[in-house]
Amino acid sequence: GSRSADAIQQSAAGMPMQQTDWMYSIMASITLPFAPWSAERSTSKADEMRATNSSIDAEKNAMQREMLSSLRSAINRYTTADTLSKHYTTSIIPLTREAAEAQTIAYQTGQVPISTVLDSRRMELMKQDDYLMTLVDRQMALTEIEMMVGAPLQ
C-alpha cells in the first residue's frame, strides 16, 4: 500500500528516524518617537529639518533679490544707452558733422590750417564710434534682460 513519508525516510537511511516537533516564534521591534528615551532625538531632528528649511528659504530669497537687482541694473543700462543713442543721432553727430564741414569751408577760404580740419574730422569719427559703442551697450543690456526674463523682447 501507500507508505508514509516517515517510513520512506527510515527505509532510505536504514535506521529509524526520530520525530521532531517544529517550533515557531515571532519577534517584532518598533521605535516609538514619543517614547521618553527617544524624545530628544526626535526634537533635534525636527529642529534640524526646520533649520534646513529656513536656510533654503533664505537662500531662495537672496537669489530672488540678486536677480531682481541684476534685472534693474540691466534695465537702467538699457535705458541709459537708449537715451544716449537717441541723443547722439539727434544732436551730437549732426553738430560734429556741421563743425567739420565748417572747418573744411574755413580751410578752403584760407582761414584755418589743415590740422584744424583733420582734428574736426577726427572728432566726428570719434563721436560716430562712441555712438556705435552706445548701440553695442544697449544691445548687450537688452540681451541680458532677455536672458533673465527667458524670452525675446521687442
Side-chain angles (χ1 to χ4, degrees), residues 44-104:
S44 64
K45 191 70 170 171
D47 289 344
E48 180 183 346
M49 294 302 286
R50 277 192 289 278
T52 301
N53 286 342
S54 295
S55 173
I56 290 170
D57 287 343
E59 188 175 341
K60 182 182 104 178
N61 290 338
M63 289 174 73
Q64 286 176 336
R65 284 191 303 274
E66 183 179 341
M67 282 293 294
L68 188 58
S69 175
S70 295
L71 182 61
R72 285 181 180 146
S73 176
I75 290 171
N76 285 339
R77 284 194 314 274
Y78 177 82
T79 304
T80 301
D82 189 53
T83 302
L84 192 56
S85 69
K86 288 176 184 173
H87 191 61
Y88 271 108
T89 57
T90 58
S91 62
I92 295 174
I93 291 177
L95 289 174
T96 56
R97 185 172 292 130
E98 286 176 20
E101 289 171 5
Q103 293 299 327
T104 303

Side-chain angles (χ1 to χ4, degrees), residues 2-129:
S2 94
R3 295 171 55 183
S4 70
D6 288 335
I8 293 172
Q9 285 178 354
Q10 286 176 4
S11 65
M15 60 172 72
M17 298 186 72
Q18 292 182 339
Q19 192 80 9
T20 55
D21 292 326
W22 295 96
M23 242 184 182
Y24 295 100
S25 68
I26 295 176
M27 182 180 216
S29 170
I30 60 171
T31 303
L32 301 173
F34 51 84
W37 56 87
S38 67
E40 185 177 322
R41 265 191 305 184
S42 176
T43 303
S44 64
K45 191 70 170 171
D47 289 344
E48 180 183 346
M49 294 302 286
R50 277 192 289 278
T52 301
N53 286 342
S54 295
S55 173
I56 290 170
D57 287 343
E59 188 175 341
K60 182 182 104 178
N61 290 338
M63 289 174 73
Q64 286 176 336
R65 284 191 303 274
E66 183 179 341
M67 282 293 294
L68 188 58
S69 175
S70 295
L71 182 61
R72 285 181 180 146
S73 176
I75 290 171
N76 285 339
R77 284 194 314 274
Y78 177 82
T79 304
T80 301
D82 189 53
T83 302
L84 192 56
S85 69
K86 288 176 184 173
H87 191 61
Y88 271 108
T89 57
T90 58
S91 62
I92 295 174
I93 291 177
L95 289 174
T96 56
R97 185 172 292 130
E98 286 176 20
E101 289 171 5
Q103 293 299 327
T104 303
I105 293 170
Y107 169 73
Q108 290 171 345
T109 60
Q111 297 174 351
V112 294
I114 188 73
S115 62
T116 306
V117 175
L118 293 175
D119 286 343
S120 64
R121 291 295 175 180
R122 186 179 313 118
M123 184 59 68
E124 180 185 8
L125 291 174
M126 286 173 53
K127 292 304 171 188
Q128 288 176 354
D129 187 47

